[in-house]
Amino acid sequence: MNQRILLVEDDPGLSLIVSDVLRSEGYAVETAADGERGLQLASGEHFDLLILDVGLPKKNGFDVLRDLRQRGTTTPAMMLTARGQTIDKILGLKLGADDYLTKPFDTGELLARIEAILRRAPAMAAPEADVYVFGDVRVDFRRATVTRSNEAVELTAREFQLLRHLIEHRETVLSRDDLLNEVWGYDAMPNTRTVDVHIGLLRQKLEPNIRQPQYILTVHGMGYRFVG
Ligand code: CA
């Protein structure tokens, strides 16, 4: 299996050069030309590395990284910055950026840095975080798949993100507003009914008895709590 890299870069010429170089080195490359598309791809599929330009249309590279981390995505990230661009490296480190490269860069240097990040990456990922099992449900975070009694369960990307967030915060009461912010993002339509609808859908797919949920519990007046 080729390692997968997502390149989010709005300069079409640079995007083409970098993806050609990466493909010639054997990486599988997906590209996005703006931050929103990049976020959508990175939260819906598995990648081994993200290369994020900081200056992007719609959503800058730091905001993309912040939103991804809030959704529980731990994919290593390299930030691309323009020469002379003042960036807050502390902010980037807090958000979990693994490296910075200033444009224009030498493609040999880019490849060397990518290899260094990918070598470090397996040690950083918590192995037990890849799969979570409750009842007859098995959630594979790496493949973004869910099975129930070994039968595939079809979840939408949003349902999967919601389930992941619930599992990562198991035993904790999460308010509808928290879930909206963390799973849907700050620019979501502020409608907590959306959360209830998606919780209902998850219960239909995962709970043995939807009238008496065992795993995704309602905490009256407060929100939801995952146990399992
Ligand atoms: Ca740019």
Side-chain angles (χ1 to χ4, degrees):
M1 269 284 281
N2 292 348
Q3 286 180 299
R4 302 190 72 218
I5 297 180
L6 174 63
L7 170 65
V8 191
E9 167 60 64
D10 59 314
D11 175 339
L14 185 62
S15 179
L16 194 63
I17 291 167
V18 171
S19 37
D20 278 353
V21 168
L22 294 175
R23 285 189 186 112
S24 72
E25 291 295 312
Y27 296 108
V29 184
E30 292 279 328
T31 59
D34 67 67
E36 279 178 9
R37 179 73 186 136
L39 178 62
Q40 192 184 16
L41 283 172
S43 45
E45 299 173 33
H46 169 75
F47 290 98
D48 297 288
L49 176 72
L50 310 173
I51 302 177
L52 281 172
D53 185 25
V54 171
L56 285 171
K58 296 191 181 171
K59 203 183 248 302
N60 77 44
F62 283 132
D63 286 344
V64 172
L65 189 60
R66 187 200 61 210
D67 288 2
L68 278 174
R69 296 303 186 231
Q70 281 175 349
R71 293 172 189 192
T73 303
T74 55
T75 315
M78 179 190 299
M79 312 300 292
L80 301 181
T81 62
R83 197 213 296 267
Q85 184 175 26
T86 337
I87 55 154
D88 188 343
K89 287 201 179 182
I90 301 293
L91 172 69
L93 288 172
K94 274 188 188 156
L95 293 170
D98 295 85
D99 203 358
Y100 289 91
L101 198 53
T102 305
K103 298 181 202 175
F105 48 80
D106 175 74
T107 51
E109 172 156 26
L110 173 73
L111 289 171
R113 302 256 200 124
I114 288 173
E115 280 171 27
I117 294 177
L118 290 175
R119 266 198 307 274
R120 286 201 305 266
M124 299 184 329
E128 74 270 29
D130 281 357
V131 171
Y132 189 79
V133 176
F134 60 97
D136 58 357
V137 178
R138 185 176 186 279
V139 185
D140 186 326
F141 293 115
R142 207 172 159 78
R143 296 198 176 85
T145 56
V146 176
T147 57
R148 187 169 168 189
S149 302
N150 296 319
E151 301 269 321
V153 178
E154 296 295 326
L155 296 189
T156 64
R158 190 70 79 193
E159 287 162 6
F160 190 82
Q161 287 158 10
L162 176 60
L163 178 63
R164 175 201 285 266
H165 192 81
L166 289 167
I167 291 172
E168 284 172 347
H169 298 83
R170 55 189 171 271
E171 307 291 343
T172 308
V173 178
L174 300 164
S175 74
R176 290 171 177 80
D177 284 326
D178 287 343
L179 289 168
L180 256 192
N181 282 338
E182 300 293 326
V183 178
W184 275 260
Y186 292 100
D187 35 33
M189 299 274 284
N191 184 351
T192 51
R193 176 83 189 117
T194 309
V195 175
D196 298 333
V197 168
H198 282 78
I199 290 281
L201 291 167
L202 272 185
R203 280 174 171 163
Q204 273 176 27
K205 293 176 182 182
L206 304 177
E207 290 281 357
N209 178 357
I210 189 161
R211 293 213 175 81
Q212 284 183 310
Q214 285 179 27
Y215 304 119
I216 305 170
L217 309 184
T218 301
V219 184
H220 288 288
M222 295 179 76
Y224 295 101
R225 182 162 62 101
F226 179 85
V227 291

